[in-house]
Amino acid sequence: MVDKILHEFVKECGYPRALDMFEKISSGKKLRSKLILKIAGQNEISLRLCAVIELIHLASLLHDDVIDDSTIRRGKPSINALYGSKNSIMLGDILYSKGYYEIVSLDPQIAKIISKAVLDLSIGEMMDVDLGSKFSPNLDEYLKMIELKTAVLIEASAKSAAIIAGIDSDSYANYGRNLGLAFQIVDDILDISADETTLGKPAFSDYKEGKTTLPYIFLYNALNLDDKEILKSLWGKELDENQTKWIKGKFDEFNIVYKCKEFAKELGYKAIASVSDEGLKEIVSSMIDREF
């Protein structure tokens, strides 16, 4: 139903080329929609909210792929790889704009929550670019960036769904924020632990793209001074087999994947502690234990 509404939303824009490009976007896990429907149930309002959130999320991914020069998204060619960066950016703008157009038909309180989340998301994207200009092992900066870039939209989804359901929106917002932080950290773990086929993109691509994610922050803080310099020298570069092997060996030596998973689990526990819904607890468990 969400996919059907999404298709109609883009079709209503009245530009067949945009619809053709949109249909080439690989469908994701729809975590945000699952969350909304679990909290608010399936009804016309919740389904339209799902579609708006998915439009906004997809728009951000289109822009992300251009910023990161990514040619693969979820195991398939990215839109910028198929149609070029200009078309990808403009399609992202169309999806953002249509999302905002549809927001006005929702509760004004929900519209404000979603709009603020998109503002924060955009700031998070800029922070990500800024942090990507240098090797940046600052944990607080990293956590703030992923909160804005990833967690705010999941938080807004949960909070908006709670408003639709007439339940305590602040508790569900707290759930969504911690779930979103954990979700991004698991993504960062998978970049170094999953194979390319499972991941749908080359492994170790984060570091090559200049992203200093939690595994690298934890590793940097565990290394001696000489190895710290080696790790920094490999940042933002295409790694050869020996360099990749060295990093993997250090990850294993200091048990970095386990430490990152424990960090994500702590955030998951915070999310679970915010609500009493068993189904939402299962979402946390399945998200942290996922392989892609």
Side-chain angles (χ1 to χ4, degrees):
M1 285 299 297
V2 173
D3 281 336
K4 184 178 179 181
I5 297 168
L6 280 169
H7 184 273
E8 286 302 312
F9 276 175
V10 181
K11 186 177 179 181
E12 287 167 5
C13 294
Y15 190 48
R17 178 166 170 76
L19 182 60
D20 289 342
M21 291 169 62
F22 174 77
E23 290 177 342
K24 297 292 193 303
I25 299 174
S26 298
S27 180
K29 294 177 281 292
K30 290 189 174 61
L31 169 66
R32 295 151 193 83
S33 290
K34 290 174 183 174
L35 191 55
I36 290 167
L37 296 176
K38 184 72 184 87
I39 296 169
Q42 183 173 317
N43 53 67
E44 183 180 352
I45 296 173
S46 64
L47 287 168
R48 289 183 74 83
L49 175 61
C50 288
V52 167
I53 293 291
E54 293 298 336
L55 278 180
I56 290 168
H57 177 57
L58 290 173
S60 72
L61 295 183
L62 289 170
H63 289 179
D64 252 1
D65 286 343
V66 173
I67 292 168
D68 295 338
D69 292 321
S70 297
T71 57
I72 298 174
R73 168 65 66 177
R74 296 165 180 156
K76 296 181 180 180
S78 61
I79 296 299
N80 51 301
L82 293 172
Y83 298 99
S85 293
K86 292 179 181 178
N87 280 316
S88 188
I89 290 169
M90 293 313 300
L91 180 59
D93 288 347
I94 288 170
L95 300 189
Y96 269 131
S97 301
K98 180 61 173 173
Y100 276 117
Y101 179 82
E102 295 299 332
I103 274 178
V104 300
S105 66
L106 300 174
D107 182 310
Q109 187 181 2
I110 292 175
K112 285 183 178 180
I113 290 168
I114 303 301
S115 299
K116 179 61 166 63
V118 177
L119 170 61
D120 288 341
L121 188 158
S122 301
I123 293 171
E125 294 278 10
M126 185 171 284
M127 284 183 67
D128 193 22
V129 172
D130 288 342
L131 290 175
S133 64
K134 61 186 183 303
F135 180 82
S136 180
N138 187 307
L139 179 60
D140 290 338
E141 286 183 347
Y142 162 81
L143 291 174
K144 184 61 178 177
M145 183 273 290
I146 66 170
E147 178 185 353
L148 295 177
K149 185 180 175 183
T150 301
V152 290
L153 195 56
I154 296 175
E155 176 184 352
S157 300
K159 186 171 185 177
S160 299
I163 291 170
I164 292 172
I167 51 184
D168 181 19
S169 61
D170 288 340
S171 295
Y172 284 84
N174 191 50
Y175 170 89
R177 180 172 58 258
N178 284 296
L179 176 68
L181 289 168
F183 180 85
Q184 183 58 58
I185 288 169
V186 172
D187 260 8
D188 294 345
I189 295 169
L190 291 175
D191 179 75
I192 65 167
S193 62
D195 60 74
E196 183 172 344
T197 303
T198 303
L199 199 56
K201 65 175 184 177
F204 285 78
S205 60
D206 283 348
Y207 206 54
K208 182 190 74 175
E209 292 169 3
K211 298 179 187 296
T212 315
T213 59
L214 189 66
Y216 297 97
I217 293 171
F218 278 0
L219 178 59
Y220 180 80
N221 289 327
L223 294 173
N224 62 40
L225 289 176
D226 289 340
D227 285 345
K228 276 182 166 68
E229 291 304 313
I230 293 173
L231 182 64
K232 286 168 65 176
S233 74
L234 300 178
W235 172 85
K237 295 179 180 177
E238 191 77 49
L239 302 175
D240 63 31
E241 186 177 344
N242 287 333
Q243 291 166 334
T244 301
K245 186 177 180 181
W246 183 87
I247 293 178
K248 284 182 176 179
K250 293 300 179 183
F251 279 141
D252 290 342
E253 180 182 346
F254 294 101
N255 214 8
I256 298 299
V257 170
Y258 172 80
K259 291 176 182 177
C260 290
K261 283 185 177 180
E262 288 302 301
F263 196 96
K265 284 180 181 179
E266 284 300 317
L267 291 165
Y269 295 145
K270 288 181 181 179
I272 289 170
S274 303
V275 296
S276 57
D277 190 313
E278 289 298 323
L280 293 181
K281 293 178 182 179
E282 289 175 10
I283 288 177
V284 172
S285 299
S286 62
M287 183 275 300
I288 289 176
D289 293 332
R290 63 194 166 95
E291 295 181 354
F292 64 93

